Amino acid sequence: MIGPKVYETVADMRQAVDAARAAGERVALVPTMGALHEGHLSLVRAAREHAGHVIVSIFVNPTQFAPTEDFDAYPRDSEADLKLLAGLGVEGVFMPPATEIYPPGFATVVSVGGPAEGLESATRPHFFGGVATVVTKLLLAALPDVAIFGEKDYQQLCVIRRFVRDLDIPVEILGGPTVREEDGLAMSSRNRYLGTEARRTAALVPQVLNEAIERIDAGEEASTVLAEGTARLTQGGFAVDYLELRDAETLAPVDAQSARARVLVAAKLGQTRLIDNMSLARPANGWR
Ligand code: PAF
């Protein structure tokens, strides 16, 4: 199996992108922080449907972690990641050292309002500045036709769509559906932190979400449903940051059933913070 080319510098990646374009290929970028799982791989497969040349970036971005968060503990396994990507026939992997992205004297932050307000920002005020800055850099470095992000991090996807539109970055942004374990738990690199007992308990998150959207969809009062869902999670041992119904595009609070609405949740189980969301729009099958 021939592995993907690995680029550590923007210049090397751009050269490869230029060559692909000159050969008439479209280029797709899938930004990740590595520790790849089936959720990431589904994004890579989706990227392939849109482009003949697929690049995956792997960079654990320090600026989206607060000093108290898990930057050092965040799982890193580039050998396993590269094997998985080779199996999918990815052309290139961008794995820059931190100094390539943040050279000495780096002093810029991309600051986003609108969909970045509330939810994640209430407990992680640093987060979207870090994400927007690194994603802007990755998009400008790779200059892809299309970039794909998971709907699992739904607020992040809305924030990226917003600043890409606001800054006229000429890249089409696509969202890929959340991939779930058999019991409904959304796949996440951080699920590796869960012990056996916590892993079992974690399935309560998609259960509460699913029940909430079913009940709101059936016309029950959203505030009651969400309060009961929060209580169930708390009884199950979670510290709930939020369980809220929001407009699917602007993320403004909404209080009634609408095909445009989503329920979003963030809750901590021990030291592991889980986030997830589901849409009130009817799915083709399974979880929404
Ligand atoms: O979702 C992620 O893995 C990260 O937030 C991203 C988009 C790669 C930026 O570091």
Side-chain angles (χ1 to χ4, degrees), residues 95-128:
M95 289 176 64
T99 48
E100 180 71 7
I101 300 294
Y102 300 115
F106 188 88
T108 302
V109 176
V110 176
S111 163
V112 190
E117 282 159 20
L119 300 173
E120 286 301 290
S121 295
T123 47
R124 309 186 71 201
H126 57 283
F127 179 65
F128 286 122

Side-chain angles (χ1 to χ4, degrees), residues 37-261:
H37 50 68
E38 192 49 42
H40 297 111
L41 303 187
S42 73
L43 301 179
V44 174
R45 289 189 201 99
R48 174 63 71 209
E49 287 171 26
H50 294 271
H53 193 96
V54 175
I55 296 178
V56 175
S57 64
I58 298 178
F59 179 64
V60 184
N61 174 35
T63 63
Q64 66 191 73
F65 291 80
T68 50
E69 292 181 348
D70 57 343
F71 175 72
D72 289 332
Y74 197 85
R76 291 162 172 87
D77 191 348
S78 48
E79 211 176 299
D81 291 346
L82 288 173
K83 252 192 217 148
L84 288 170
L85 296 174
L88 294 183
V90 160
E91 280 72 22
V93 178
F94 182 46
M95 289 176 64
T99 48
E100 180 71 7
I101 300 294
Y102 300 115
F106 188 88
T108 302
V109 176
V110 176
S111 163
V112 190
E117 282 159 20
L119 300 173
E120 286 301 290
S121 295
T123 47
R124 309 186 71 201
H126 57 283
F127 179 65
F128 286 122
V131 168
T133 303
V134 79
V135 173
T136 300
K137 290 207 60 156
L138 292 170
L139 294 178
L140 296 178
L143 297 171
D145 296 285
V146 57
I148 308 199
F149 299 84
E151 284 183 352
K152 147 93 173 34
D153 297 293
Y154 194 78
Q155 188 179 14
Q156 170 175 279
L157 176 61
C158 294
V159 167
I160 291 169
R161 285 206 160 109
R162 184 72 261 167
F163 73 75
V164 164
R165 201 174 311 151
D166 290 352
L167 299 179
D168 297 317
I169 300 176
V171 177
E172 186 184 2
I173 301 299
L174 297 177
T178 302
V179 178
R180 297 181 180 280
E181 305 284 359
E182 249 174 51
D183 62 1
L185 181 67
M187 288 196 185
S188 162
S189 305
R190 288 190 168 99
N191 291 352
R192 299 181 190 200
Y193 298 154
L194 297 166
T196 314
E197 185 59 37
R199 171 62 192 84
R200 254 196 299 273
T201 308
L204 190 58
V205 171
Q207 280 165 25
V208 164
L209 266 184
N210 201 47
E211 192 182 301
I213 55 168
E214 295 287 344
R215 289 175 59 187
I216 295 168
D217 202 27
E220 281 192 58
E221 185 71 41
S223 57
T224 310
V225 170
L226 297 174
E228 287 176 14
T230 303
R232 246 184 99 198
L233 286 169
T234 308
Q235 278 153 20
F238 290 85
V240 180
D241 284 342
Y242 57 81
L243 175 67
E244 292 195 25
L245 183 67
R246 295 290 179 112
D247 179 86
E249 194 183 320
T250 63
L251 292 185
V254 285
D255 56 14
Q257 171 210 358
S258 138
R260 271 175 57 92

